[in-house]
Amino acid sequence: MESKYEAVIGLEVHAQLLTETKIFCGCSTKFGNPANTNVCPVCLGHPGVLPVLNKKVVEYAVRMGIATNCTINKKSVFARKNYFYPDLPKGYQISQFELPVCEKGFVDIVCADGTEKRLGITRIHLEEDAGKSIHDQGSETLVDVNRCGVPLIEIVSEPDMRTPEDAYLYLTKIKQLVQYLGVCDGNMEEGSLRCDANISIRPKGQKELGTKAEVKNMNSFRNVEKAIALEIERQIEIIEEGGRIVQETLLFNADTNKLASMRSKEEAHDYRYFPDPDLIPTIISEEWKKQISDSLPELPDTRKARFIEGYKLPAYDAEILTGQKELADYYECVLKETNDYKSASNWVMGEVLKTIKEEKIEISDFPVSPENLGKLINLINKNVISGKIAKDVFPVLLKDNRDPEIIVKEKNLVQITDTGAIEESVDKIISSSPNQVQEYLSGKEKVLGFFVGQIMKETKGKANPAVVNEILRNKLNTLK
Amino acid sequence: MSVTIKDVEHIAKLARLDIKENELENYTKHLNSILDYMEKLNELDTRGVEPLFNPIENTNFFREDIPVRSIPREEALKNAPARTDEHFKVPKVISQD
C-alpha cells in the first residue's frame, strides 16, 4: 500500500442465527428444503398477518452482544426498512433502526507483528433475511421464499480498520465468536456469514474521512482481504490522477478478481425507516441478561489464556488451537489420553491441521479420533516407537482409525531398545564399512550420520535413535 | 417543514404509486396540511418525555423456538399471478446478486 495514504475500513457482517424456526413465524429455517415449502402466510407477507418474535433470536443477539463487550439496550424496537424487491414479499424488511439490541462494543485482534488492536462495534441489530431470486432460469426471475424471515444479526463495526489484514482478522474474530457461542455456523462460502465493507482513503494525518465506497459480494475470508486491497488501490489511483471518489456500491467478482460498479440509482438508499406497529418493544431486564450471560460457554480469549496457563503452551500454539472451537475441543480430547500437552499441541498443529488443509475437510470430519492420537503420542513417550515411526503410523491411522498400539504390533514396528540387538547391528556395520570408520577416526564427525542411517535401514527404522547414537559413539571411540 | 411537487413525485415513485400529472398539486397540498399539523404538535415541549414507539403498552410477547407445520407449496403459490411448479415467477430482475 502507498505510504502517503491511509485506508479507513468498516465492516457490516450478517450472521444467520442457528435457530430451528424463523424470526417471526414457526416455519423451519432448514437449509436445502424444496423451494417454497418452509413458508406460511406470515413469511409470505400475506395481508392481515402478525409477526411474533422468536425468543431465542433475542437471546442469541444478546449472547453476541455480551461476547463483544456491547451495552445491551434495555429497550429495543423493530423498524420497517422499505424497499421493493421480489424476494421481499412484504415490500419491507423488519429490521432495527433507532434502538438495536446491542450497541457500543469492541473486539481485540492480534496483528501479525504481535501488536493488539481494539476495534469498535457500533451496534448489533436483529433483522429478517430475504428470499432467494434465481435469475439464470429463462427470461424470468424465479423466487424461493424459504429463506424469507430467517433470523439474522447484523454486526456493524466502527471504521477502525486500516488495512485489509485488519479486516481479515476482525472477520476471523467474529466468526470465531459466533461459532463459540453457537449462534451461527460461520460458513461464509454457504452464505450463513456475509460481509460488506465500507472503504475510504485519506492522506495520512488527515482527520476528516474521505468519500467511501461499499464493496459487496465477498464470499470468503480471503476474498474480503483481496477485495479491500483492490478497492484501496483503486481509490489511491483515482486520487493520484486528480480525480475524486464517487459514493457507490461495488461488487467483487472472485473469478476475475475485479470490482464492478453496481451503478445503483440515487434513491436506492431511501429506506424510510419507521417503527413497525405490528411488534411491541422488547425489554431485556438485568435478570434476563444475567441468565444469558451465565449460560455463555467459555470464550476464545479465556480459553487461550487457560491453554497458556494450564497447559504451559506458547501463546502461538494457544492462539492457533483456540482459533476454532472444534479444534480446541479436539485438542482437549487428545489430552484425555495423554498429559504431554506440548507434543499433543505439535501433533494437532502439525499433522492434523496439515491433513485438514490438504484434504479440504473440517476438523469434525477428521478421521483419526483424538483418543487414538493421544495413544500414539503415549507410544512415543513410552519408547514403544520412535517419533519417526509415529509419523509412518499416522497415515495408517488416517485410513484405519484403530488403536495405534495394535497397528504398531501388527506391522511389527515396535522400537528396538534392546541394547543387545542394536549392538549386534552396530558391530555389523562397523566391520563392513572400513573406509567410513577410517574417515571417522581421522576426525570426520559427519560420517556418523552414515552409520546411523545404515543401522536404521537394517532395523527398518525401529531402533531407538538415542540408544543407537550412544552405542555407536562408544564403539567407534574404542577404535581410536 | 413542507414538501414540494418534486418530493411527492419521489415518494410516489418509492411507493410504486402512479400519480397523474394533474393530481400532483393536490397531493402536495394534502401532505403539507398534514405536515402543518405535525408542526403544531411540535410546539409542545417534549423534553424529558420518552419517545413512544407503540401505543400498546405491552412488551415482550414471544414465541418459543418450536417449528410449526408450514403450509403446502400449492397453497403458497395459489395466489401468484405467475408461477412455475415450484417457484413464484416475476419479471426479470436485473441484478448481480
Side-chain angles (χ1 to χ4, degrees), chain A residues 140-159:
Chain A
E140 271 140 329
T141 294
L142 302 181
V143 181
D144 174 5
V145 187
N146 278 356
R147 205 180 60 188
C148 228
V150 167
L152 303 175
I153 46 173
E154 180 173 338
I155 306 151
V156 183
S157 85
E158 288 288 304

Side-chain angles (χ1 to χ4, degrees), chain A residues 450-461:
Chain A
F450 162 80
F451 290 106
V452 177
Q454 291 298 309
I455 293 156
M456 282 302 177
K457 204 167 151 193
E458 168 124 356
T459 57
K460 296 194 177 73

Side-chain angles (χ1 to χ4, degrees), chain A residues 44 46, chain B residues 71-84 88:
Chain A
L44 283 165
H46 283 195
Chain B
I71 61 170
R73 177 158 61 199
E74 220 19 65
E75 282 287 299
L77 295 174
K78 202 166 69 178
N79 297 310
R83 50 170 289 192
T84 65
F88 293 93

Side-chain angles (χ1 to χ4, degrees), chain A residues 20-21 35-36 53 135 283, chain B residues 10 60 63 65 73 86 92:
Chain A
E20 291 288 317
T21 66
N36 293 308
L53 182 57
H135 300 291
I283 304 289
Chain B
H10 176 64
N60 288 9
R63 290 182 15 249
D65 186 31
R73 177 158 61 199
E86 296 163 2
K92 189 91 175 169

Side-chain angles (χ1 to χ4, degrees), chain B residues 31-57:
Chain B
L31 283 175
N32 276 329
S33 77
I34 294 169
L35 287 171
D36 283 347
Y37 180 62
M38 293 298 152
E39 280 306 317
K40 181 86 194 150
L41 289 179
N42 268 344
E43 286 171 18
L44 209 65
D45 185 359
T46 54
R47 271 176 298 182
V49 179
E50 214 188 307
L52 181 76
F53 288 97
N54 197 304
I56 299 168
E57 297 213 333

Side-chain angles (χ1 to χ4, degrees), chain A residues 70-122:
Chain A
C70 283
T71 305
I72 310 300
N73 282 335
K74 183 163 178 269
K75 180 178 189 173
S76 59
V77 167
F78 284 94
R80 293 187 181 178
K81 178 181 181 179
N82 299 281
Y83 65 94
F84 284 104
Y85 203 76
D87 60 18
L88 190 73
K90 294 194 296 296
Y92 59 86
Q93 178 193 28
I94 304 179
S95 178
Q96 295 188 307
F97 191 58
E98 276 166 279
L99 289 176
V101 177
C102 320
E103 282 180 289
K104 299 188 196 85
F106 63 85
V107 294
D108 293 326
I109 56 165
V110 184
C111 302
D113 62 5
T115 54
E116 246 189 44
K117 247 192 214 176
R118 179 157 291 183
L119 304 173
I121 286 179
T122 314

